[in-house]
Structure formats: C-alpha cells, structure tokens
Amino acid sequence: GAGVSQSPSNKVTEKGKDVELRCDPISGHTALYWYRQSLGQGLEFLIYFQGNSAPDKSGLPSDRFSAERTGGSVSTLTIQRTQQEDSAVYLCASSLNRQYEQYFGPGTRLTVT
Amino acid sequence: SQQGEEDPQALSIQEGENATMNCSYKTSINNLQWYRQNSGRGLVHLILIRSNEREKHSGRLRVTLDTSKKSSSLLITASRAADTASYFCATATNQFYFGTGTSLTVIP
C-alpha cells in the first residue's frame, strides 16, 4: 500500500516568509510525528499527534512553529517568519500507535535564504 | 534532552566483516527500535525489541537489550557495501527519542 508522503520535497524560501509543509500518513495510522534533522545530525522531535488526543507539542522550538492534523489524517506543519536556522530536512512519520514502529516519509528539505 | 545516544559516531569496516553499534539511554522504556537512513532522507525501520526481551534476530541483524545497563546493541553480520548508511536507535517512553546515529561505511 501507499507509504507516508510529504510535500513539497524541496522548498526554498526567503527569510521572514511563512511556509507550510504537508504530510499524508499511512491510512489507519493513528499516530503522526514531525521531526527535524539538520545536516549530519540526529532527529529532533517536534510534535506528536495521537488520535483525537491533544498533541504533544513539547518539541516545537518556538512559537513560530505550529502543526495541525485535520480529520485524524493529513497534517500540516507551519513555520512563520522563517529564519535561516530553520533550514533542515523536516520528516514526518506515522505508526499504528505510539508503541509501534514508525514509517517515515521522504522528507521536505527546507532552505531559508 | 535526548534519550538515545549511539556509539561509535562513525564506523568503517571491510565488506564481510561484522558491524556492532551501541545505544545507551537514560530512563525506563517500553521498547527500543533501530532505524536506518540513507542519503539524509526518510528512515526505515529495522527491528523493534520490547523491554521484556533480551535478544532479537532479523536476517543478518541481531539486537540485544540490557535494561539493567540501559543499553542496546545492533550487530550486522557479513556486512555488504549496501549496508552503508546511518543507523539510529529510538526509545519509546511517553515520548519518542532518536539518538544522533552511527554512520557506517562498508568498504567493498
């Protein structure tokens, strides 16, 4: 079946602009995660959605970052007033629930100029 | 703070040799998972070991878990050039933490 998809695959934006990154999880997966990975670094947890529960936003680095998940499916990560340090690959993953293995999308490479 | 830390950060071996990577973590876990990443893109799940398990095998992969030492190891036997990638451990508690990864290079 279809895996996790993310769009766009690459995004170049000017400093100060807002960006929206999209994630389509695997159908039926109740858990959805967003991570950020800078070049050569590990994964930085950003936010976690589980079903209809309130999301775990503890990893969001600033109030410029927000995410929503509509209808328990598609998720959008929004970064307002982008800064150069926001440049990274943003990865989305989904799983059946919290304790199961995660399936990752290909990521969105964000470059802020 | 990050939960999982891999060791070594980088490993270079000859094809056919075994590769061992270690992961240490800080708090009690429900399970520990190993992932592989090629080309800085999405990660691929390799194996999951639950907190009540001590060893698990999948093909050429062998994972051990020592909850008393809060550590896990991933062994790749008879390595191939195609195993060249970054390997991450991830611990599942109330949150999900990935380590910084081990970069494995298998030289043909």
Side-chain angles (χ1 to χ4, degrees), chain A residues 53-96:
Chain A
S53 302
D56 178 352
K57 304 179 182 179
S58 60
L60 294 178
S62 77
D63 58 8
R64 296 186 295 105
F65 287 72
S66 63
E68 61 179 24
R69 188 179 184 190
T70 54
S73 181
V74 172
S75 177
T76 302
L77 177 69
T78 301
I79 308 174
Q80 296 178 310
R81 305 180 302 282
T82 51
Q83 304 293 314
Q84 288 187 332
E85 59 263 28
D86 298 335
S87 296
V89 174
Y90 288 81
L91 293 163
C92 174
S94 71
S95 65
L96 281 173

Side-chain angles (χ1 to χ4, degrees), chain B residues 36-50:
Chain B
R36 163 191 167 135
Q37 184 180 39
N38 292 86
S39 305
R41 289 300 214 179
L43 281 72
V44 175
H45 179 263
L46 295 177
I47 197 165
L48 180 155
I49 186 165
R50 302 195 186 283

Side-chain angles (χ1 to χ4, degrees), chain B residues 1-105:
Chain B
S1 61
Q2 273 190 325
Q3 170 79 312
E5 297 291 339
E6 290 90 345
D7 168 59
Q9 290 187 342
L11 179 61
S12 183
I13 59 174
Q14 294 290 329
E15 198 166 32
E17 294 181 338
N18 296 341
T20 300
M21 288 158 271
N22 303 297
C23 170
S24 59
Y25 57 93
K26 296 177 182 175
T27 63
S28 296
I29 59 172
N30 296 314
N31 66 61
L32 186 145
Q33 304 179 23
W34 284 91
Y35 290 80
R36 163 191 167 135
Q37 184 180 39
N38 292 86
S39 305
R41 289 300 214 179
L43 281 72
V44 175
H45 179 263
L46 295 177
I47 197 165
L48 180 155
I49 186 165
R50 302 195 186 283
S51 59
N52 61 353
E53 297 177 310
R54 293 296 169 259
E55 187 171 312
K56 204 161 184 180
H57 297 254
S58 176
R60 294 184 294 114
L61 305 180
R62 172 177 168 253
V63 169
T64 61
L65 178 64
D66 187 333
T67 53
S68 66
K69 295 181 180 178
K70 292 186 171 57
S71 67
S72 173
S73 67
L74 170 66
L75 169 67
I76 304 174
T77 61
S79 64
R80 305 167 182 168
D83 294 330
T84 295
S86 292
Y87 292 82
F88 295 87
C89 70
T91 51
T93 59
N94 288 327
Q95 291 190 8
F96 215 90
Y97 291 103
F98 280 82
T100 53
T102 292
S103 177
L104 173 66
T105 301

